[in-house]
Amino acid sequence: MSPDITTIRQALRENDGEPEGPARNARAERLLAEAEQTGDAALVIEALTHQLQVYNYSSEKDKMFVPFARLLRMWDEQPGDFSDFMTHHLFWMFKWVSSSMVDQPHIPLAAIEKWQSEMEYRYRLAGHSERAVCQGELEIARHLGDLPRAERAYAAWQAADRDRMANCHACELHEQGSWQAQRGLDTEALETWAPVLGGEHTCAHEPHAVLAASLVPLLRTGRSEQARAHHLRGYRMVRSMESMRNAAAQHIEFCALTGNEARALEIIAERPAYFTDSGNPGSLMDYLAVTALLMDRLTSLGHGGQSVPGPAGTDWTASSLAAHARARALELAARFDERNGTAQVGTQVRERLDRRPLVDRLPLGVRAVRLAAPDRKPDATPAPVPGAPAEAPLGLTGLLAEAHRLSDAQRPEAGPAWEAVARRIAEPDGAAAGLSDHDRACVEDHRAMYGSLPPAEAMAAFEAAAGLYEAAGDPGEAAAAAGRAAYARALEPGGADEALAGIAPVVDRALALYADDAATARQASAVLVCRARILGRLVQDAPDEAAAESAVTGLEQGARELLAFTEPLRAEAGVATRIAEALDLLGDVAAYRGDPHGALERYERAAAETNDAGLSWYAVEYEAKTSGLAAQLEEYERAEGAARAALEHGAAFVPARGRARLHLRLAEILAGTGQFAEATEQALDAAHWADESGESATIGAHARHQLGGWLLRLDRAAEAAAVLEAVLPDITAEEHGDGTVVQTLWWLGDALTALHEPREAAEHWLKAADIARGWPEQHDHAMLANLAAQALYRADLDPQAELAYARAGELWRELGDVPALVRTLRVRAWIAIREGQPGPRAARAFMAAAARECETALSSNPADEAPRLLAELADTHRQTGELIAHVCQGEPGEAPEYEEALGYVDRAVAGFTEAGAGFVGLRTAAELMAAWLEADLGRPDAARERARRVLEIHGAGEPDETGEERRAEAASLLDHVDRRTGPSGA
């Protein structure tokens, strides 16, 4: 039995909506074979046209040419077999076929020129504008590098009239901007693309392609933040589209040029078939070129040996894939140039391969897998200045002198300087043999300070240093080292009490040495600082509240003794930081005792001491404390100033983890005061530094979670969705709590709704609702169930929406929220009249149930809730009338249902009127609905009376948007009635 023509046509329509790829193409081929069996020429034409379309939007563009040639032959032989719609498609697809030939190096240039001429001839014969022909001419000229021909084609394209054969506005603007960018006119290109990027002109593949094309021009013009936004927004749009390999290549290139190599690797890993899909050699060449660019970049950073994703069947490293991709890209370019007789394509590919980063670091807000440790340290040594004498490396004496200089200046670089000394001493050339006892003491002392040693090893090193200082005749430094040894003992579990007892004689000795001028203020105060720190450890280790209170008293006494000793000696070298530490500890005491304002004042004084002494890097910790405490006290201006100061003072030396926390602190303060734009920038930096420190799943996840929410607040839904989708796997109940998981899913649902992706939004809201189901307070559960139901309704998933609304309704009932319950019932009524659902009788039953809920609540709720409930009842009547009219099968003037509908709407008007002044807009909307029904029922005077009543209501008082809308509709209704029946009284 021959296949059914109607069934095949339906299958063609269904296949058109399937995702791009080989499966859709294969089904198109099967459907063509079935169409041929029917012997119906029109159906064969439809199937061929469908096949061409799916090939064009896939990785098999090289299959387009045979079915198009067949279609063209059928047109030449029997044009009458083509409907107007199929005729339009035939000429429309001529552009696709002609332009696609350029990307196929096996097609001779003469054949391409012949097809271009054929298109021009056939368009002219059919009476079409030459606009599309001129655009095709430009594409050929650009490919060949024939600038004069390209400029002529561009001018002719712009001068030609737009007609039905012209490409859509979005695609034309894409091509125009691409031509400008190729000529180095980046600013002009971005201006040309603006209507597409802004959503004024769109199509199936725009703004997807323009977002990708804009990335490098944006970077070149210094608009890196906009480029980041375009990457986040654009890659989401193309990642599932097989035909968008060119766009994916541009996103990979963007990542390679902005320090986001790990993100680029993830993009490559998502579609290994992009390396082997050969249906479009032009886009394959571009993809291989940016892959080589990325791998060269990784190799230059010392990651040449890292395993990377690449063509299946081989284990690739960055360096091996770089060589492979470069060779294949250049081989394809050579084939194009051989075909064309020019060097244009090869030149462009080499220029792309040689591009250098345009931005050192551009945080994206999405997590990427951390790169492995470099195979070698990247060569960051600056090139020598021609003619300048070479700097000899410092010897041990020079290294020691530099380390002492930095220590005396209390510079943060002192630690690395002493590490350099230690490395030099460890070299097997005997350089350490001539060190004095004092030098050895300093090396041991600073090894313990900066070497991240376990407490026991640090204590031993400090004790060794103390002995060497004593032997070298420096008792003051010996006492200071002994104090540091005692503090190291306190860092061992349970060691604080022993450390406190051990430091007591050291304190006595240090103060005595200072009194005898045998120790400096810096050395003596160092011992007092160590005692105060030990007292602080006792607070931390206190087993109960009583012990903690006693320890706090001891800490306060120790801090005050430190402050009393140091404050009069402020001018002495190295003492300012001791004063600051004493104030900081006193701030901790105040905070423990419930005096946050007192603590805040002391932290600020501590920061001021170090800043006034020119030691701002020491202020960072105190500024961070100030910021956090001020934010808790909602003193946001104070908190913001301290956070900014901490970031400024710590930029050069705070480790990545600390920087992540500082940026996140400032971000949260800014968001707390509504400064969401800058908050997003700070959150981006926080996420970046979290990644650098290996804290992607902790600090980084929190930063990205917040970033997604703030982007949503700024109506940047596409960026928010990209960030939230990326962070979702890192947000776990165990690490971040149920609330954060639910909030992330909630925000993601909001973002996807804004992007018109209701099905996906519903999935996330349903997951969030399932988590919230177990919470004691059920309002969030009800809200999420309701949101999921709304999304399913928008996605036309009617059975699922009905179930979700039923679930939400029961939750609202349990919470006693009658208006919310009533709204679910009304939506279920509208679902009931959709195709395949129960129908009008069920719909009216839902509306009746909604009305009963309102009436019952009105009889039992407080009077202050009556206006809201009256309005809900009135809206139920209005929607019931609307539903009745909507499903009515007869003509308005004859169908009795219209009278019934009008009765319900009249009850709605009365209900809104009774509800009061807060519902005037809803009342007049119902009045206008009644007026339209009156007009449909052939009662022009009644319709006019209602319209004039609306004009009167909204004519008094200050004009507003609702009033203007109602007045405009009333005027339109009067005009409609007058045109049908003549003016009133005529």
Side-chain angles (χ1 to χ4, degrees):
M1 189 173 83
S2 298
D4 178 70
I5 293 174
T6 303
T7 302
I8 295 173
R9 282 204 169 97
Q10 178 61 30
L12 289 169
R13 285 194 294 271
E14 291 172 358
N15 199 45
D16 193 52
E18 291 297 310
E20 297 176 357
R24 183 169 76 153
N25 294 0
R27 191 178 185 208
E29 291 162 3
R30 290 196 301 273
L31 290 171
L32 173 59
E34 291 177 12
E36 289 170 333
Q37 291 176 32
T38 68
D40 188 302
L43 183 62
V44 172
I45 290 167
E46 288 180 44
L48 280 167
T49 300
H50 172 70
Q51 190 179 70
L52 263 168
Q53 182 152 327
V54 300
Y55 283 157
N56 184 62
Y57 294 117
S58 77
S59 62
E60 297 181 306
K61 293 189 87 166
D62 56 337
K63 291 185 174 182
M64 293 172 59
F65 308 113
V66 172
F68 181 74
R70 181 180 173 189
L71 266 176
L72 202 58
R73 186 173 65 252
M74 292 173 72
W75 166 262
D76 288 337
E77 294 172 355
Q78 294 291 337
D81 290 341
F82 286 73
S83 66
D84 289 345
F85 186 68
M86 286 298 121
T87 300
H88 174 80
H89 263 291
L90 174 68
F91 281 89
W92 184 267
M93 291 187 296
F94 217 125
K95 300 177 298 183
W96 296 353
V97 174
S98 180
S99 61
S100 294
M101 288 181 176
V102 171
D103 290 323
Q104 306 290 335
H106 69 279
I107 298 179
L109 183 59
I112 296 173
E113 299 281 14
K114 176 181 175 297
W115 273 96
Q116 177 68 13
S117 299
E118 181 79 7
M119 178 180 169
E120 179 182 15
Y121 168 73
R122 288 180 179 269
Y123 269 42
R124 186 170 63 251
L125 197 65
H128 298 311
S129 166
E130 63 178 2
R131 189 175 181 89
V133 176
C134 294
Q135 184 175 349
E137 175 77 3
L138 173 64
E139 291 176 17
I140 295 171
R142 285 180 61 186
H143 178 73
L144 298 174
D146 189 337
L147 183 60
R149 180 181 176 184
E151 289 177 338
R152 289 193 303 271
Y154 186 84
W157 173 27
Q158 298 306 295
D161 293 333
R162 282 190 58 83
D163 69 349
R164 294 177 65 226
M165 284 300 124
N167 282 328
C168 76
H169 283 290
C171 290
E172 282 205 339
L173 291 172
H174 179 194
E175 182 72 15
Q176 291 169 26
S178 297
W179 169 234
Q180 289 163 335
Q182 183 178 330
R183 293 160 58 208
L185 304 174
D186 289 334
T187 300
E188 291 83 347
L190 293 167
E191 289 173 358
T192 298
W193 288 328
V196 182
L197 297 170
E200 183 180 343
H201 299 301
T202 61
C203 70
H205 283 65
E206 296 295 355
H208 317 44
V210 165
L211 284 165
S214 71
L215 295 172
V216 171
L218 284 168
L219 292 174
R220 287 195 296 235
T221 54
R223 288 177 263 187
S224 56
E225 293 179 8
Q226 193 176 351
R228 173 180 60 221
H230 285 198
H231 168 67
L232 293 176
R233 176 185 170 198
Y235 186 64
R236 278 194 80 252
M237 300 175 85
V238 303
R239 67 188 305 172
S240 64
M241 300 175 72
E242 186 186 63
S243 63
M244 300 297 282
R245 179 166 56 187
N246 258 331
Q250 288 166 321
H251 284 283
I252 292 167
E253 180 178 40
F254 161 80
C255 292
L257 299 177
T258 57
N260 289 289
E261 296 83 9
R263 165 75 167 169
L265 286 175
E266 289 189 348
I267 294 174
I268 285 177
E270 288 183 356
R271 276 199 178 268
Y274 272 166
F275 284 107
T276 52
D277 290 341
S278 57
N280 187 341
S283 76
L284 175 60
M285 175 183 69
D286 290 336
Y287 192 80
L288 290 165
V290 299
T291 299
L293 171 70
L294 171 65
M295 298 306 154
D296 283 343
R297 176 69 182 150
L298 286 169
T299 301
S300 72
L301 292 172
H303 299 287
Q306 177 168 331
S307 176
V308 295
T314 302
D315 294 329
W316 298 97
T317 64
S319 57
S320 66
L321 184 55
H324 170 79
R326 177 182 290 268
R328 285 198 64 204
L330 291 173
E331 175 191 349
L332 282 167
R335 288 177 59 196
F336 280 112
D337 285 341
E338 182 181 3
R339 189 266 308 272
N340 299 337
T342 69
Q344 171 72 6
V345 177
T347 299
Q348 288 181 326
V349 169
R350 287 182 176 85
E351 287 174 356
R352 198 168 198 177
L353 288 166
D354 292 340
R355 282 181 178 168
R356 292 294 175 265
L358 296 169
V359 178
D360 289 338
R361 178 182 65 84
L362 181 62
L364 299 178
V366 290
R367 178 185 177 186
V369 177
R370 264 185 110 197
L371 295 173
D375 308 322
R376 57 173 176 76
K377 190 172 181 179
D379 184 8
T381 305
V385 178
E391 290 189 13
L394 290 175
L396 180 57
T397 301
L399 290 171
L400 276 167
E402 180 65 4
H404 278 299
R405 182 186 71 79
L406 293 169
S407 289
D408 292 343
Q410 296 183 277
R411 294 287 309 178
E413 299 90 341
W418 283 107
E419 289 173 6
V421 171
R423 286 195 300 272
R424 182 70 183 89
I425 289 172
E427 291 177 5
D429 60 358
L435 284 177
S436 67
D437 284 341
H438 199 278
D439 287 338
R440 291 181 185 280
C442 288
V443 171
E444 282 296 296
D445 203 4
H446 290 92
R447 182 173 74 89
M449 287 185 206
Y450 300 117
S452 301
L453 302 177
E457 289 184 35
M459 183 173 63
F462 281 133
E463 289 173 344
L468 288 166
Y469 281 131
E470 200 72 56
D474 191 345
E477 204 61 61
R484 289 189 279 272
Y487 176 59
R489 183 184 299 277
L491 296 177
E492 291 190 296
D497 286 316
E498 185 180 350
L500 185 61
I503 202 171
V506 182
V507 170
D508 293 340
R509 181 168 185 249
L511 294 176
L513 287 168
Y514 176 73
D516 293 339
D517 290 330
T520 65
R522 181 177 180 177
Q523 291 168 340
S525 62
V527 179
L528 293 173
V529 164
C530 289
R531 183 181 65 177
R533 290 175 180 172
I534 293 169
L535 291 165
R537 288 292 301 184
L538 285 169
V539 175
Q540 294 179 39
D541 297 345
D544 53 46
E545 189 172 338
E549 185 57 48
S550 174
V552 169
T553 300
L555 172 60
E556 181 179 20
Q557 181 180 344
R560 291 196 181 282
E561 289 179 11
L562 172 61
L563 189 62
F565 179 81
T566 54
E567 272 196 311
L569 305 173
R570 182 178 276 104
E572 297 288 327
V575 174
T577 56
R578 315 298 196 207
I579 298 172
E581 187 156 357
L583 290 166
D584 175 54
L585 292 170
L586 289 171
D588 292 345
V589 170
Y592 180 84
R593 289 181 172 162
D595 179 14
H597 293 283
L600 188 60
E601 184 267 335
R602 287 171 175 82
Y603 295 149
E604 286 182 322
R605 283 179 58 196
E609 287 288 344
T610 50
N611 281 321
D612 291 346
L615 303 170
S616 59
W617 47 90
Y618 272 99
V620 173
E621 181 180 353
Y622 312 134
E623 288 162 343
K625 282 186 170 184
T626 298
S627 175
L629 189 52
Q632 289 177 29
L633 295 171
E634 298 185 359
E635 296 187 26
Y636 292 114
E637 186 175 347
R638 203 171 177 182
E640 181 182 338
R644 290 189 188 280
L647 273 170
E648 177 187 351
H649 297 150
F653 74 93
V654 171
R657 188 172 187 270
R659 294 187 71 172
R661 291 191 177 279
L662 289 174
H663 280 291
L664 185 55
R665 169 75 51 78
L666 179 54
E668 291 175 336
I669 291 166
L670 291 166
T673 55
Q675 301 176 71
F676 294 108
E678 189 182 354
T680 62
E681 298 302 315
Q682 296 296 334
L684 283 163
D685 280 324
H688 166 77
W689 289 112
D691 291 346
E692 290 292 303
S693 65
E695 296 280 355
S696 292
T698 52
I699 304 171
H702 182 63
R704 290 184 172 94
H705 161 78
Q706 296 282 44
L707 173 62
W710 296 333
L711 287 167
L712 200 57
R713 289 288 296 267
L714 292 168
D715 294 326
R716 292 158 62 179
E719 296 168 69
V723 170
L724 292 167
E725 284 171 343
V727 77
L728 194 55
D730 290 332
I731 300 290
T732 64
E734 296 75 20
E735 180 70 32
H736 304 93
D738 280 351
T740 303
V741 178
V742 167
Q743 184 63 80
T744 305
L745 290 164
W746 197 324
W747 280 336
L748 184 51
D750 288 342
L752 294 170
T753 298
L755 296 172
H756 308 293
E757 300 177 28
R759 182 192 295 260
E760 293 78 6
E763 290 176 5
H764 294 298
W765 280 331
L766 287 170
K767 288 177 185 175
D770 282 340
I771 297 171
R773 183 198 298 271
W775 293 355
E777 208 291 312
Q778 286 289 285
H779 186 268
D780 283 345
H781 181 199
M783 278 293 300
L784 287 160
N786 214 109
L787 287 168
Q790 290 173 9
L792 292 165
Y793 181 68
R794 292 190 198 101
D796 295 324
L797 297 170
D798 298 325
Q800 297 92 324
E802 159 61 27
L803 288 171
Y805 271 117
R807 174 186 178 189
E810 287 307 309
L811 290 167
W812 291 127
R813 186 187 299 280
E814 291 170 12
L815 289 166
D817 192 331
V818 174
L821 165 61
V822 165
R823 290 177 195 133
T824 65
L825 291 167
R826 291 198 300 249
V827 180
R828 292 172 73 186
W830 289 105
I831 293 172
I833 62 169
R834 285 184 165 186
E835 185 178 352
Q837 298 306 301
R841 180 176 296 181
R844 295 187 65 162
F846 279 125
M847 287 295 185
R852 286 195 301 273
E853 294 289 348
C854 291
E855 290 162 352
T856 302
L858 277 166
S859 66
S860 59
N861 275 277
D864 59 350
E865 294 185 21
R868 186 179 177 207
L869 291 168
L870 283 167
E872 288 297 339
L873 178 58
D875 206 28
T876 302
H877 290 324
R878 181 193 65 78
Q879 291 195 41
T880 303
E882 184 181 357
L883 185 144
I884 291 169
H886 181 79
V887 300
C888 178
Q889 300 296 317
E891 291 297 321
E894 302 169 358
E897 291 90 347
Y898 268 67
E899 288 287 1
E900 185 185 9
L902 180 58
Y904 275 103
V905 180
D906 269 335
R907 292 168 69 184
V909 172
F912 285 129
T913 303
E914 186 181 356
F919 302 94
V920 170
L922 292 170
R923 171 192 166 187
T924 52
E927 190 80 78
L928 285 169
M929 181 185 293
W932 286 108
L933 287 169
E934 298 272 26
D936 285 341
L937 287 165
R939 300 169 189 163
D941 291 340
R944 289 189 185 99
E945 182 183 350
R946 290 179 184 273
R948 287 169 184 150
R949 193 152 52 230
V950 170
L951 290 171
E952 181 181 346
I953 291 170
H954 286 293
E958 293 294 324
D960 59 18
E961 186 177 348
T962 299
E964 291 300 319
E965 289 176 359
R966 298 290 184 270
R967 288 178 62 83
E969 186 179 350
S972 175
L973 188 148
L974 288 170
D975 180 63
H976 169 76
V977 172
D978 287 346
R979 280 189 285 106
R980 286 181 60 182
T981 65
S984 177

